[in-house]
Amino acid sequence: VTAPLITLLSDFGLKDPYVAEMKAVILTICQNARIIDISHMIEEFNVRMGAFVLASATPYFPEGAIHVAVVDPGVGTKRRALLVQTNRAFYIGPDNGVLMLAAKKNQIRHVFTLSNPEFMLPRMSATFHGRDVFAPAAAYLASGVNPNKFGPEIKDYVVPSFAHPELRAKGLVGEVLHIDNFGNVITNVSIDDLKKTGIKAGERLVIGHKNQFYSANLFTAYGNAEPGSLLALIGSHGFLEIAVNQGNASRKLRMKTGDALITRAV
Amino acid sequence: VTAPLITLLSDFGLKDPYVAEMKAVILTICQNARIIDISHMIEEFNVRMGAFVLASATPYFPEGAIHVAVVDPGVGTKRRALLVQTNRAFYIGPDNGVLMLAAKKNQIRHVFTLSNPEFMLPRMSATFHGRDVFAPAAAYLASGVNPNKFGPEIKDYVVPSFAHPELRAKGLVGEVLHIDNFGNVITNVSIDDLKKTGIKAGERLVIGHKNQFYSANLFTAYGNAEPGSLLALIGSHGFLEIAVNQGNASRKLRMKTGDALITRAV
Amino acid sequence: VTAPLITLLSDFGLKDPYVAEMKAVILTICQNARIIDISHMIEEFNVRMGAFVLASATPYFPEGAIHVAVVDPGVGTKRRALLVQTNRAFYIGPDNGVLMLAAKKNQIRHVFTLSNPEFMLPRMSATFHGRDVFAPAAAYLASGVNPNKFGPEIKDYVVPSFAHPELRAKGLVGEVLHIDNFGNVITNVSIDDLKKTGIKAGERLVIGHKNQFYSANLFTAYGNAEPGSLLALIGSHGFLEIAVNQGNASRKLRMKTGDALITRAV
């Protein structure tokens, strides 16, 4: 039998003891758990960014993995805590949408609330459910506790709203989903959306942002453009990405997460 | 039998090869060790911050864990290297106080110096005892070497000085222990200290800092306050914390680690 | 039998899902792999920095470890992907030199290209070979696939150019290899190079940089100098290092990676 696999995502950063406390709680309850960090550098309170990073990473994990995501501005309030069972994996975290972009990529079977105090730390804080509720739930689940023991099933969970691009007269109107470590601008324009604009691989396209317009080739790799010059490509998650070869597109175009942008053929 | 658990804390950051070298040395000596990072983002040379983070995290780890902490401005000088055995865990690091706030939360049984060269790397540097002394000590201990083989027992180890809050006419005079990733201001005022001021949950209190006074409610969760507004609460480690719901209290109040602050009823 | 050990180094940073996706792919193919991060904070596209950090860390890992390094500005272009077999370890990454400083510390036995699609992800992107080519290669190798199954052997791989210090009339002319987390300036001047200048431990030396000259003692430990004052020492990897005790030498001397510097006796 394989050791259970638990992943962690949060906006806790890496300076404080918080991430280690979650791992400590997991290993106290389930000593053979393997723990993998997805990211703890989600922007503070940025549920959408957490949802995006979680949904990008989790499809690559083995079946049966337990994914814990804690971007949780409502901790200690009435927001519910969830255990989501899909046909591939489990997702544990607050009921604010952070889990659902990832969970919906699979078929959701059941969504349970985490309300059974038997599977929480005995001395529970109102400020750190990552340690006191979500980590123990993951560890008990990894130890073989049946998902339906954690609390009642619900249907009215929160789903995050990610806009789909719209094809208008001026072009395809999309949104910046994420700026990565390299300054690559990852948009919500999928490869199928792009096809509607008639732009084909190798062709030039126009990107509009705040009344500035830039032209770029739709390449397949960063290195197809000259170093320092702008390009567009379909990134590793299947979305249109704007990049500068060996440079920083976000800084060059002053684009940030949430910004609207227009894409059209030249 | 469970694989031994070794945790690491340092001020090494995550850019350099230093943390990986410690892990490499551990896994060379004790191949089945499980290694968990507590934090490597302790401020450079900040022994008190290291002590605080270590003492916050280690109580959550399973019994028998081996905690290595390397915030070590005196590396290569005459400062001693220690192995501390408590009734719950082991602590390994320099004799400058970084271990002792955590170790004293349990009952200290023995404090040994690490002086036996048999349990150090053969080619020892004068600048990186994390790799050459502390990592091997943790790995040999994890492999079953008796704690008393590492060197003679001592009693005159360094204990870090953390002030306790004082109740004066103007209020309870405390200190900022730590600013976390969210800008939450964690003070040295415990829940018992706070009781002496007569402030109760849900009531308003006054926080004074450098002749500025702020009033805030003593809530139980960040989300009890309006987004952007100041609150106080007892944080996840049992200390008074000053926070801004979905904001940054440290920035708003210009408070930093080590600052004095006054707390009193309205 | 020991579980296989795979290390990861990249310029991906810790915010994005990229590192987790590599780990997910590895654990899907080789479920008992142990994965250790060397660093993901290599400067974007800085192949030389990646090579330096990899070469510093990997000698400390157990024999047979599989080291994956992804600093890969040419991803998706014609640059080749490599599997390097040395007498101690395996190195996997792009053919741009990032692997070779480390690999050449051992005896290189074979260098294979990674060209067999059987050992890549079925849906391969042109932008993320860390996930789609290098992680699967490491995992299949860890699972027992013979190195010569991944692709044909080559001899004309790229070797990074690191200059050796030169002894001239004005002194030993070297280069800054790396600035670490503490601001320590790590040079390419080895202990043997230094002997040629006639400088001995404990003696004063002169460091020249951009027509500024500084004098410092050649000490053995940071703490041998007064706090805040400049010193030189042979660092933990055997190179001359310029440091400020409990301070930041890089900031004080305005030295950065790649800068030339002169070292001579007083």
Side-chain angles (χ1 to χ4, degrees), chain A residues 14-143:
Chain A
L14 294 170
K15 182 184 69 165
D16 297 312
Y18 305 143
V19 173
E21 291 175 26
M22 290 183 66
K23 294 180 182 177
V25 166
I26 289 169
L27 293 173
T28 300
I29 295 167
C30 180
Q31 66 178 32
N32 70 330
R34 293 172 295 160
I35 305 172
I36 298 285
D37 295 307
I38 290 184
S39 173
H40 299 288
M41 306 290 277
I42 303 302
E43 277 174 33
E44 295 89 331
F45 319 120
N46 191 335
V47 171
R48 281 166 57 96
M49 178 179 168
F52 173 78
V53 172
L54 190 73
S56 299
T58 59
Y60 292 92
F61 280 90
E63 267 195 56
I66 299 167
H67 304 292
V68 181
V70 193
V71 183
D72 194 11
V75 61
T77 65
K78 281 184 222 159
R79 75 96 188 86
R80 294 171 299 192
L82 301 183
L83 163 54
V84 181
Q85 181 175 17
T86 79
N87 60 336
R88 269 204 102 241
F90 296 94
Y91 294 87
I92 289 174
D95 181 22
N96 61 14
V98 70
L99 307 176
M100 287 302 166
L101 189 69
K104 282 172 61 187
K105 287 190 162 186
N106 311 136
Q107 199 182 312
I108 294 177
R109 285 197 184 142
H110 305 285
V111 179
F112 301 102
T113 58
L114 298 173
S115 47
N116 186 345
E118 203 181 324
F119 304 118
M120 301 174 187
L121 283 207
R123 284 198 310 170
M124 198 171 89
S125 73
T127 54
F128 191 7
H129 286 189
R131 179 191 69 196
D132 301 343
V133 177
F134 303 128
Y140 283 114
L141 184 66
S143 305

Side-chain angles (χ1 to χ4, degrees), chain A:
Chain A
V1 280
T2 327
L5 186 59
I6 297 173
T7 79
L8 303 180
L9 174 143
S10 76
D11 60 353
F12 294 164
L14 294 170
K15 182 184 69 165
D16 297 312
Y18 305 143
V19 173
E21 291 175 26
M22 290 183 66
K23 294 180 182 177
V25 166
I26 289 169
L27 293 173
T28 300
I29 295 167
C30 180
Q31 66 178 32
N32 70 330
R34 293 172 295 160
I35 305 172
I36 298 285
D37 295 307
I38 290 184
S39 173
H40 299 288
M41 306 290 277
I42 303 302
E43 277 174 33
E44 295 89 331
F45 319 120
N46 191 335
V47 171
R48 281 166 57 96
M49 178 179 168
F52 173 78
V53 172
L54 190 73
S56 299
T58 59
Y60 292 92
F61 280 90
E63 267 195 56
I66 299 167
H67 304 292
V68 181
V70 193
V71 183
D72 194 11
V75 61
T77 65
K78 281 184 222 159
R79 75 96 188 86
R80 294 171 299 192
L82 301 183
L83 163 54
V84 181
Q85 181 175 17
T86 79
N87 60 336
R88 269 204 102 241
F90 296 94
Y91 294 87
I92 289 174
D95 181 22
N96 61 14
V98 70
L99 307 176
M100 287 302 166
L101 189 69
K104 282 172 61 187
K105 287 190 162 186
N106 311 136
Q107 199 182 312
I108 294 177
R109 285 197 184 142
H110 305 285
V111 179
F112 301 102
T113 58
L114 298 173
S115 47
N116 186 345
E118 203 181 324
F119 304 118
M120 301 174 187
L121 283 207
R123 284 198 310 170
M124 198 171 89
S125 73
T127 54
F128 191 7
H129 286 189
R131 179 191 69 196
D132 301 343
V133 177
F134 303 128
Y140 283 114
L141 184 66
S143 305
V145 173
N146 194 306
N148 66 21
K149 299 290 185 205
F150 289 84
E153 188 163 0
I154 63 163
K155 299 283 184 193
D156 62 338
Y157 46 81
V158 176
V159 173
S161 57
F162 281 89
H164 286 283
E166 284 180 46
L167 194 56
R168 299 199 197 146
K170 60 183 174 182
L172 190 65
V173 180
E175 187 189 315
V176 177
L177 278 186
H178 183 67
I179 307 291
D180 79 7
N181 183 55
F182 299 95
N184 296 324
V185 174
I186 299 162
T187 74
N188 67 343
V189 176
S190 71
I191 190 163
D192 290 335
D193 294 326
L194 201 65
K195 279 177 187 158
K196 296 177 201 160
T197 64
I199 301 164
K200 290 192 193 77
E203 289 186 359
R204 264 186 119 56
L205 51 76
V206 171
I207 294 148
H209 174 246
K210 292 186 178 166
N211 296 315
Q212 299 281 331
F213 292 87
Y214 310 90
S215 80
N217 266 83
L218 183 64
F219 281 131
T220 53
Y222 305 115
N224 294 150
E226 293 297 306
S229 77
L230 201 69
L231 72 148
L233 49 68
I234 299 299
S236 63
H237 297 97
F239 290 112
L240 180 71
E241 203 174 301
I242 305 155
V244 169
N245 184 20
Q246 298 177 50
N248 188 303
S250 162
R251 219 176 288 146
K252 185 165 186 160
L253 306 189
R254 292 187 196 157
M255 283 185 179
K256 54 183 207 309
T257 302
D259 281 2
L261 85 175
I262 294 168
T263 310
R264 57 176 168 78
V266 176

Side-chain angles (χ1 to χ4, degrees), chain B residues 43-123:
Chain B
E43 276 175 34
E44 294 89 331
F45 319 120
N46 192 334
V47 172
R48 282 167 57 97
M49 178 179 169
F52 173 77
V53 172
L54 189 73
S56 299
T58 59
Y60 292 92
F61 279 90
E63 268 195 57
I66 298 167
H67 304 292
V68 181
V70 193
V71 183
D72 194 11
V75 60
T77 65
K78 282 184 220 161
R79 74 96 187 87
R80 294 172 300 192
L82 301 183
L83 163 54
V84 181
Q85 182 175 16
T86 78
N87 61 335
R88 269 204 102 243
F90 295 94
Y91 294 88
I92 288 173
D95 181 22
N96 61 15
V98 70
L99 308 176
M100 287 302 167
L101 189 69
K104 282 172 61 185
K105 286 190 163 186
N106 312 137
Q107 200 183 309
I108 294 177
R109 285 197 184 143
H110 304 285
V111 179
F112 301 101
T113 57
L114 299 173
S115 47
N116 186 344
E118 204 181 322
F119 305 118
M120 301 174 186
L121 283 207
R123 283 199 312 170

Side-chain angles (χ1 to χ4, degrees), chain A residues 124-128 131, chain B residues 186-187 189-195 199-201 205 217-222 231-242:
Chain A
M124 198 171 89
S125 73
T127 54
F128 191 7
R131 179 191 69 196
Chain B
I186 300 163
T187 74
V189 176
S190 72
I191 190 164
D192 291 334
D193 294 327
L194 201 66
K195 278 177 187 160
I199 300 163
K200 291 193 193 75
L205 51 76
N217 267 83
L218 184 63
F219 281 131
T220 53
Y222 305 114
L231 73 147
L233 48 68
I234 299 298
S236 63
H237 297 97
F239 291 110
L240 180 72
E241 202 174 300
I242 304 156

Side-chain angles (χ1 to χ4, degrees), chain B residues 191-212:
Chain B
I191 190 164
D192 291 334
D193 294 327
L194 201 66
K195 278 177 187 160
K196 295 177 199 160
T197 66
I199 300 163
K200 291 193 193 75
E203 290 186 358
R204 262 183 122 55
L205 51 76
V206 171
I207 293 147
H209 174 246
K210 292 187 178 164
N211 296 316
Q212 299 280 330

